[in-house]
Amino acid sequence: MSGLSAVERRAPAASREASRDTGTAPDPGAPPRRRALRPAGLLSGLVLLVAAAALSLSVGTHHIPLDQVWDGLTRGPVGKNETIVHDLRLPRTLIGIAVGTALGLAGAVMQTLTRNPLADPGLLGVNAGASAAVVTAVSLFGVRTFQGYLWFAVAGAAVAAVLVNALAGSRAATPVRLALAGTAVSAALSGYVNGLQLLDLEALDRMRDWDVGSLAGRDGRLLLQAAPLLLAGTVLALGLARPLNAMALGDDSARSLGAAPGRTRVLSVAAVTLLCGGATAVCGPIGFVGLMVPHAVRPVCGPDARWLFPYCAVFSPVLLLVSDVVGRVVAPPSEIQVGIVTALLGGVLFIHLVKRSRVVKL
């Protein structure tokens, strides 16, 4: 027993044996009702995603009927409303879907890997690292193109992820240590970003909307350029579901089930880096999506990453698109950036999670 992790020592022997028989699932004893509801819940999420996309295309400071939305999608910019749909809201909606999927998957991977219910690309400094790298590229190196600062965003996300884990003690990191290290790194990087922007007013003006996280005014070509990174990160994250399930029982049991803990950790960090770096480069740092959605869907899909990850990939863009629509309509004719809306929602959830007595038992 000396080689087993604390999580594995707490796990009943029957559960560990069942895991060996069922392909590394961490909840082999899931109630039959949950197993039956999982496909239906995922299908419901797809329906909600279609509805959220339709809402995003139709609702805003200028309301467009759904029949004209359809015309804008099928016939192109033949009139004013169709032009708004085709040229402005369609790219915004597609970017929202891609970025929401990336942030939700990144949060689910981080929570599953670290067994930390507070893990989130924003809370653990990954988004701040990408943001600091982009501002550095724009202000100090004069980078003006998206292709230029995309790679800065990926590199910044990777450096921040490694730094936070190193400060927290890597394998010995507890949820509290990770949250504290992430908060410290995020605060330091935020101070750096603010100071750099104040010294370079031109950079401050260019980065104003981007720095708070926004879907507004984004060119659809940005999504095409970031798509390889986001797609690679998504495929990698979904492919890590089984080994991450095995690691929930501890490193020794993971090895006995055929998983390689070291390789899984490296690939997980790579997936989070690709997802957060690409998403942040397109829209700026949008926080709390990766924190909220995994907690919202676990009561339905359970902790099994083979279901948790697809659920997060579907429901996260629903949250982001609905938050974006809320930001459009609450203060007309102006808009509130989606990063502000998700931060307000996420702050309430974060307080709730911190107050829960069993927050460290994920």
PDB file of all heavy atoms in Angstrom, residues 137-139 141-149 200 202 206:
ATOM      1  N   ALA A 137       4.320  40.995 -27.231  1.00  0.00           N
ATOM      2  CA  ALA A 137       4.570  40.944 -28.671  1.00  0.00           C
ATOM      3  C   ALA A 137       4.130  42.234 -29.348  1.00  0.00           C
ATOM      4  O   ALA A 137       4.831  42.774 -30.217  1.00  0.00           O
ATOM      5  CB  ALA A 137       3.839  39.753 -29.275  1.00  0.00           C
ATOM      6  N   VAL A 138       2.973  42.758 -28.940  1.00  0.00           N
ATOM      7  CA  VAL A 138       2.435  43.959 -29.581  1.00  0.00           C
ATOM      8  C   VAL A 138       3.219  45.197 -29.167  1.00  0.00           C
ATOM      9  O   VAL A 138       3.556  46.051 -29.996  1.00  0.00           O
ATOM     10  CB  VAL A 138       0.944  44.115 -29.234  1.00  0.00           C
ATOM     11  CG1 VAL A 138       0.408  45.454 -29.722  1.00  0.00           C
ATOM     12  CG2 VAL A 138       0.139  42.972 -29.849  1.00  0.00           C
ATOM     13  N   SER A 139       3.530  45.306 -27.875  1.00  0.00           N
ATOM     14  CA  SER A 139       4.125  46.538 -27.362  1.00  0.00           C
ATOM     15  C   SER A 139       5.632  46.610 -27.571  1.00  0.00           C
ATOM     16  O   SER A 139       6.163  47.634 -27.988  1.00  0.00           O
ATOM     17  CB  SER A 139       3.808  46.680 -25.871  1.00  0.00           C
ATOM     18  OG  SER A 139       4.338  47.879 -25.354  1.00  0.00           O
ATOM     19  N   PHE A 141       7.715  44.213 -29.344  1.00  0.00           N
ATOM     20  CA  PHE A 141       8.269  43.685 -30.593  1.00  0.00           C
ATOM     21  C   PHE A 141       7.546  44.198 -31.834  1.00  0.00           C
ATOM     22  O   PHE A 141       7.880  43.816 -32.946  1.00  0.00           O
ATOM     23  CB  PHE A 141       8.248  42.153 -30.568  1.00  0.00           C
ATOM     24  CG  PHE A 141       9.095  41.563 -29.485  1.00  0.00           C
ATOM     25  CD1 PHE A 141       8.513  41.051 -28.342  1.00  0.00           C
ATOM     26  CD2 PHE A 141      10.480  41.540 -29.583  1.00  0.00           C
ATOM     27  CE1 PHE A 141       9.286  40.506 -27.327  1.00  0.00           C
ATOM     28  CE2 PHE A 141      11.259  41.000 -28.585  1.00  0.00           C
ATOM     29  CZ  PHE A 141      10.664  40.484 -27.448  1.00  0.00           C
ATOM     30  N   GLY A 142       6.535  45.022 -31.624  1.00  0.00           N
ATOM     31  CA  GLY A 142       5.851  45.623 -32.758  1.00  0.00           C
ATOM     32  C   GLY A 142       5.075  44.658 -33.622  1.00  0.00           C
ATOM     33  O   GLY A 142       4.850  44.921 -34.808  1.00  0.00           O
ATOM     34  N   VAL A 143       4.665  43.533 -33.069  1.00  0.00           N
ATOM     35  CA  VAL A 143       3.897  42.553 -33.842  1.00  0.00           C
ATOM     36  C   VAL A 143       2.511  43.123 -34.133  1.00  0.00           C
ATOM     37  O   VAL A 143       1.829  43.611 -33.226  1.00  0.00           O
ATOM     38  CB  VAL A 143       3.784  41.223 -33.074  1.00  0.00           C
ATOM     39  CG1 VAL A 143       2.910  40.239 -33.828  1.00  0.00           C
ATOM     40  CG2 VAL A 143       5.163  40.635 -32.831  1.00  0.00           C
ATOM     41  N   ARG A 144       2.081  43.052 -35.353  1.00  0.00           N
ATOM     42  CA  ARG A 144       0.800  43.621 -35.745  1.00  0.00           C
ATOM     43  C   ARG A 144      -0.171  42.586 -36.305  1.00  0.00           C
ATOM     44  O   ARG A 144      -1.362  42.846 -36.423  1.00  0.00           O
ATOM     45  CB  ARG A 144       1.007  44.711 -36.806  1.00  0.00           C
ATOM     46  CG  ARG A 144       1.791  45.930 -36.309  1.00  0.00           C
ATOM     47  CD  ARG A 144       0.990  46.709 -35.284  1.00  0.00           C
ATOM     48  NE  ARG A 144       1.674  47.928 -34.879  1.00  0.00           N
ATOM     49  CZ  ARG A 144       2.526  47.999 -33.874  1.00  0.00           C
ATOM     50  NH1 ARG A 144       2.812  46.914 -33.178  1.00  0.00           N
ATOM     51  NH2 ARG A 144       3.106  49.144 -33.546  1.00  0.00           N
ATOM     52  N   THR A 145       0.323  41.425 -36.680  1.00  0.00           N
ATOM     53  CA  THR A 145      -0.527  40.426 -37.321  1.00  0.00           C
ATOM     54  C   THR A 145      -0.918  39.343 -36.336  1.00  0.00           C
ATOM     55  O   THR A 145      -0.188  39.038 -35.384  1.00  0.00           O
ATOM     56  CB  THR A 145       0.196  39.780 -38.511  1.00  0.00           C
ATOM     57  OG1 THR A 145       1.335  39.051 -38.034  1.00  0.00           O
ATOM     58  CG2 THR A 145       0.643  40.844 -39.504  1.00  0.00           C
ATOM     59  N   PHE A 146      -2.084  38.755 -36.610  1.00  0.00           N
ATOM     60  CA  PHE A 146      -2.553  37.674 -35.754  1.00  0.00           C
ATOM     61  C   PHE A 146      -1.606  36.486 -35.802  1.00  0.00           C
ATOM     62  O   PHE A 146      -1.337  35.838 -34.781  1.00  0.00           O
ATOM     63  CB  PHE A 146      -3.951  37.245 -36.192  1.00  0.00           C
ATOM     64  CG  PHE A 146      -4.489  36.063 -35.428  1.00  0.00           C
ATOM     65  CD1 PHE A 146      -4.995  36.218 -34.161  1.00  0.00           C
ATOM     66  CD2 PHE A 146      -4.466  34.797 -35.987  1.00  0.00           C
ATOM     67  CE1 PHE A 146      -5.466  35.130 -33.445  1.00  0.00           C
ATOM     68  CE2 PHE A 146      -4.948  33.704 -35.292  1.00  0.00           C
ATOM     69  CZ  PHE A 146      -5.450  33.879 -34.016  1.00  0.00           C
ATOM     70  N   GLN A 147      -1.093  36.158 -36.995  1.00  0.00           N
ATOM     71  CA  GLN A 147      -0.166  35.038 -37.109  1.00  0.00           C
ATOM     72  C   GLN A 147       1.048  35.246 -36.226  1.00  0.00           C
ATOM     73  O   GLN A 147       1.609  34.286 -35.679  1.00  0.00           O
ATOM     74  CB  GLN A 147       0.282  34.857 -38.564  1.00  0.00           C
ATOM     75  CG  GLN A 147      -0.849  34.540 -39.529  1.00  0.00           C
ATOM     76  CD  GLN A 147      -1.362  35.795 -40.217  1.00  0.00           C
ATOM     77  OE1 GLN A 147      -1.453  36.858 -39.594  1.00  0.00           O
ATOM     78  NE2 GLN A 147      -1.710  35.665 -41.495  1.00  0.00           N
ATOM     79  N   GLY A 148       1.437  36.523 -36.069  1.00  0.00           N
ATOM     80  CA  GLY A 148       2.611  36.812 -35.254  1.00  0.00           C
ATOM     81  C   GLY A 148       2.381  36.571 -33.779  1.00  0.00           C
ATOM     82  O   GLY A 148       3.180  35.905 -33.111  1.00  0.00           O
ATOM     83  N   TYR A 149       1.289  37.117 -33.245  1.00  0.00           N
ATOM     84  CA  TYR A 149       1.116  36.975 -31.794  1.00  0.00           C
ATOM     85  C   TYR A 149       0.409  35.693 -31.385  1.00  0.00           C
ATOM     86  O   TYR A 149       0.333  35.374 -30.193  1.00  0.00           O
ATOM     87  CB  TYR A 149       0.449  38.202 -31.169  1.00  0.00           C
ATOM     88  CG  TYR A 149      -0.980  38.496 -31.530  1.00  0.00           C
ATOM     89  CD1 TYR A 149      -2.016  37.693 -31.080  1.00  0.00           C
ATOM     90  CD2 TYR A 149      -1.315  39.620 -32.271  1.00  0.00           C
ATOM     91  CE1 TYR A 149      -3.332  37.983 -31.359  1.00  0.00           C
ATOM     92  CE2 TYR A 149      -2.628  39.924 -32.561  1.00  0.00           C
ATOM     93  CZ  TYR A 149      -3.635  39.094 -32.102  1.00  0.00           C
ATOM     94  OH  TYR A 149      -4.947  39.383 -32.384  1.00  0.00           O
ATOM     95  N   ASP A 200       2.753  52.299 -22.971  1.00  0.00           N
ATOM     96  CA  ASP A 200       2.560  52.331 -24.428  1.00  0.00           C
ATOM     97  C   ASP A 200       1.078  52.566 -24.691  1.00  0.00           C
ATOM     98  O   ASP A 200       0.295  51.629 -24.785  1.00  0.00           O
ATOM     99  CB  ASP A 200       3.033  51.017 -25.045  1.00  0.00           C
ATOM    100  CG  ASP A 200       2.982  51.028 -26.567  1.00  0.00           C
ATOM    101  OD1 ASP A 200       2.423  51.994 -27.141  1.00  0.00           O
ATOM    102  OD2 ASP A 200       3.489  50.082 -27.192  1.00  0.00           O
ATOM    103  N   GLU A 202      -0.493  53.530 -27.271  1.00  0.00           N
ATOM    104  CA  GLU A 202      -0.983  52.978 -28.530  1.00  0.00           C
ATOM    105  C   GLU A 202      -1.342  51.507 -28.359  1.00  0.00           C
ATOM    106  O   GLU A 202      -2.379  51.051 -28.842  1.00  0.00           O
ATOM    107  CB  GLU A 202       0.081  53.129 -29.622  1.00  0.00           C
ATOM    108  CG  GLU A 202      -0.392  52.648 -30.994  1.00  0.00           C
ATOM    109  CD  GLU A 202       0.692  52.768 -32.046  1.00  0.00           C
ATOM    110  OE1 GLU A 202       1.746  53.360 -31.753  1.00  0.00           O
ATOM    111  OE2 GLU A 202       0.478  52.261 -33.164  1.00  0.00           O
ATOM    112  N   ARG A 206      -5.055  49.616 -28.701  1.00  0.00           N
ATOM    113  CA  ARG A 206      -5.281  48.462 -29.576  1.00  0.00           C
ATOM    114  C   ARG A 206      -5.776  47.258 -28.797  1.00  0.00           C
ATOM    115  O   ARG A 206      -6.565  46.460 -29.308  1.00  0.00           O
ATOM    116  CB  ARG A 206      -3.984  48.097 -30.310  1.00  0.00           C
ATOM    117  CG  ARG A 206      -3.568  49.063 -31.391  1.00  0.00           C
ATOM    118  CD  ARG A 206      -2.587  48.387 -32.337  1.00  0.00           C
ATOM    119  NE  ARG A 206      -1.459  47.824 -31.614  1.00  0.00           N
ATOM    120  CZ  ARG A 206      -0.320  48.483 -31.346  1.00  0.00           C
ATOM    121  NH1 ARG A 206      -0.201  49.743 -31.735  1.00  0.00           N
ATOM    122  NH2 ARG A 206       0.660  47.900 -30.702  1.00  0.00           N
TER     123      ARG A 206
END
